[in-house]
């Protein structure tokens, strides 16, 4: 029941104490209330927030309001305004003990209408992010306290939309552009313009594997609906689905293949 109030300053907190992440965090803020229910407001700066499995770091800034139980260390976040590189998001949830288990578990809801897919992918991928573009997402994340690596501990259910995305790999970009031209009936275009694509999907992440119940892909002249998985550790992609084009298959190709497609269409 003890009443408390004051200000605090935290400098160079070592995030590597929490398995799977790293960086130096600094924070300032104020607190007031009773020890078992302290209202805390503050901000943090982590210029090198890192996922250790990839070694990739990005600047992370937050402004937060929280309710802290000073008798057991449980924290309710209400809410957190955060910026990761150029991606902004809002988070609400808890860092609290679980009956019968040691340590604390993070359970949090994250939403963003102003995110960049390249920022999110960069932290978790060994190689260069394959996509660039603005994205909106809603996610429920759990991070239990275990000895497993960070990307194996994270459990997430999310819905996302990426508008006007652009593939970063030149070969992939050219293939998608060629596919778009062919799907619109221009298979002989040897230098198609770069096209932007839209992606929508539902994804579940567990044990370092993202499983897509449905992901839709759209580019000029072509739409596709797929399902499958993506492994964050070995970056293996396994997607299957159906594709629809604006023209018949015989109009989307040339030569003998076009002749065979016309036969199939007539049959």
């Amino acid at each position: 029941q003890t009443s408390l109030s004051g200000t605090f300053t935290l400098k160079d907190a070592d995030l590597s104490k929490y398995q799977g992440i790293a960086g130096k965090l600094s924070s300032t803020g104020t607190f007031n209330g009773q020890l078992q229910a302290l209202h805390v407001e503050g901000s943090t700066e982590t210029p090198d927030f890192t996922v250790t499995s990839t070694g990739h770091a990005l600047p992370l800034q937050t402004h937060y309001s929280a309710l802290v139980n000073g008798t057991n260390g449980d924290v309710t976040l209400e809410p957190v305004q955060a910026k990761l590189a150029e991606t902004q998001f809002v988070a609400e949830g808890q860092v609290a003990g679980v009956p019968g288990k040691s340590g604390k578990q993070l359970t949090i809801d994250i939403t963003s209408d102003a995110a960049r897919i390249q920022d999110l992918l960069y932290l978790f991928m060994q190689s260069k992010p394959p996509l660039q573009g603005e994205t909106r997402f809603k996610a429920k994340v759990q991070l239990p306290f275990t000895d497993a690596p960070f990307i194996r501990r994270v459990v997430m259910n999310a819905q996302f939309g990426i508008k006007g995305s652009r593939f970063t790999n030149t070969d992939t970009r050219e293939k998608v552009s060629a596919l778009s031209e062919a799907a619109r009936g221009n298979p002989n275009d040897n230098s198609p313009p770069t096209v932007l694509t839209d992606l929508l999907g539902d994804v579940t992440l567990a044990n370092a594997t993202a499983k897509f119940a449905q992901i839709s892909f759209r580019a000029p002249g072509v739409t596709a609906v797929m399902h499958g998985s993506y492994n964050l550790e070995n970056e293996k992609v396994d997607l299957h689905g159906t594709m629809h084009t604006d023209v018949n298959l015989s109009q989307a190709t040339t030569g003998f293949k076009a002749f065979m497609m016309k036969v199939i269409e007539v049959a």
Side-chain angles (χ1 to χ4, degrees), residues 66-99:
L67 184 66
V68 178
N69 185 334
T71 66
N72 63 13
D74 287 353
V75 178
T76 300
L77 304 170
E78 47 177 24
V80 177
Q81 304 281 344
K83 184 178 181 182
L84 176 71
E86 296 302 318
T87 288
Q88 300 182 42
F89 57 90
V90 179
E92 296 183 275
Q94 289 185 321
V95 182
V98 178

Side-chain angles (χ1 to χ4, degrees), residues 56-152:
H56 291 169
L58 288 174
L60 175 64
Q61 302 169 329
T62 74
H63 183 81
Y64 61 88
S65 176
L67 184 66
V68 178
N69 185 334
T71 66
N72 63 13
D74 287 353
V75 178
T76 300
L77 304 170
E78 47 177 24
V80 177
Q81 304 281 344
K83 184 178 181 182
L84 176 71
E86 296 302 318
T87 288
Q88 300 182 42
F89 57 90
V90 179
E92 296 183 275
Q94 289 185 321
V95 182
V98 178
K101 296 183 179 180
S102 61
K104 304 288 184 183
Q105 175 171 292
L106 169 68
T107 303
I108 195 166
D109 293 313
I110 305 173
T111 59
S112 178
D113 292 325
R116 299 195 315 175
I117 190 61
Q118 60 266 38
D119 293 339
L120 303 176
L121 292 176
Y122 178 74
L123 283 179
F124 297 98
M125 297 185 68
Q126 296 286 349
S127 57
K128 182 180 179 181
L131 281 176
Q132 294 179 338
E134 296 181 358
T135 182
R136 303 174 65 181
F137 68 89
K138 180 185 296 184
K140 181 176 287 292
V141 179
Q142 286 188 334
L143 187 67
F145 182 82
T146 71
D147 293 331
F150 180 75
I151 61 172
R152 283 192 164 270

Side-chain angles (χ1 to χ4, degrees), residues 1-261:
Q1 302 294 321
T2 302
S3 296
L4 299 170
S5 64
T7 62
F8 64 88
T9 299
L10 179 66
K11 292 184 178 181
D12 295 330
D14 185 1
L15 295 181
S16 66
K17 296 293 183 181
Y18 304 97
Q19 294 179 354
I21 60 175
K24 297 293 185 180
L25 178 145
S26 298
S27 179
T28 59
T30 62
F31 60 90
N32 67 82
Q34 295 181 340
L35 181 60
Q36 63 183 359
L38 284 171
H39 294 275
V40 183
E41 288 194 12
S43 58
T44 71
E45 293 273 351
T46 310
D48 56 346
F49 181 78
T50 305
V51 174
T52 53
S53 60
T54 64
H56 291 169
L58 288 174
L60 175 64
Q61 302 169 329
T62 74
H63 183 81
Y64 61 88
S65 176
L67 184 66
V68 178
N69 185 334
T71 66
N72 63 13
D74 287 353
V75 178
T76 300
L77 304 170
E78 47 177 24
V80 177
Q81 304 281 344
K83 184 178 181 182
L84 176 71
E86 296 302 318
T87 288
Q88 300 182 42
F89 57 90
V90 179
E92 296 183 275
Q94 289 185 321
V95 182
V98 178
K101 296 183 179 180
S102 61
K104 304 288 184 183
Q105 175 171 292
L106 169 68
T107 303
I108 195 166
D109 293 313
I110 305 173
T111 59
S112 178
D113 292 325
R116 299 195 315 175
I117 190 61
Q118 60 266 38
D119 293 339
L120 303 176
L121 292 176
Y122 178 74
L123 283 179
F124 297 98
M125 297 185 68
Q126 296 286 349
S127 57
K128 182 180 179 181
L131 281 176
Q132 294 179 338
E134 296 181 358
T135 182
R136 303 174 65 181
F137 68 89
K138 180 185 296 184
K140 181 176 287 292
V141 179
Q142 286 188 334
L143 187 67
F145 182 82
T146 71
D147 293 331
F150 180 75
I151 61 172
R152 283 192 164 270
R153 283 193 292 148
V154 176
V155 177
M156 180 183 72
N157 292 292
Q159 298 82 45
F160 65 90
I162 309 171
K163 185 173 180 61
S165 63
R166 180 176 180 268
F167 288 94
T168 57
N169 181 278
T170 302
D171 288 342
T172 304
R173 197 161 57 238
E174 290 176 352
K175 288 177 181 177
V176 171
S177 297
L179 172 65
S180 176
E181 285 300 299
R184 288 182 288 174
N186 304 314
N188 291 314
D189 192 340
N190 294 321
S191 57
T194 298
V195 299
L196 300 179
T197 60
D198 295 339
L199 287 167
L200 295 170
D202 298 321
V203 60
T204 300
L205 174 64
N207 296 318
T209 299
K211 294 184 178 180
F212 298 93
Q214 177 173 299
I215 180 170
S216 62
F217 168 90
R218 183 174 63 186
V222 59
T223 59
V225 179
M226 298 170 284
H227 65 275
S229 64
Y230 172 74
N231 189 293
L232 272 68
E233 292 179 314
N234 59 27
E235 300 185 7
K236 180 180 179 181
V237 177
D238 182 15
L239 291 174
H240 309 271
T242 57
M243 182 177 71
H244 302 273
T245 60
D246 284 356
V247 299
N248 294 330
L249 288 177
S250 60
Q251 297 172 274
T253 186
T254 59
F256 183 72
K257 287 189 290 184
F259 171 74
M260 293 301 299
M261 288 301 102

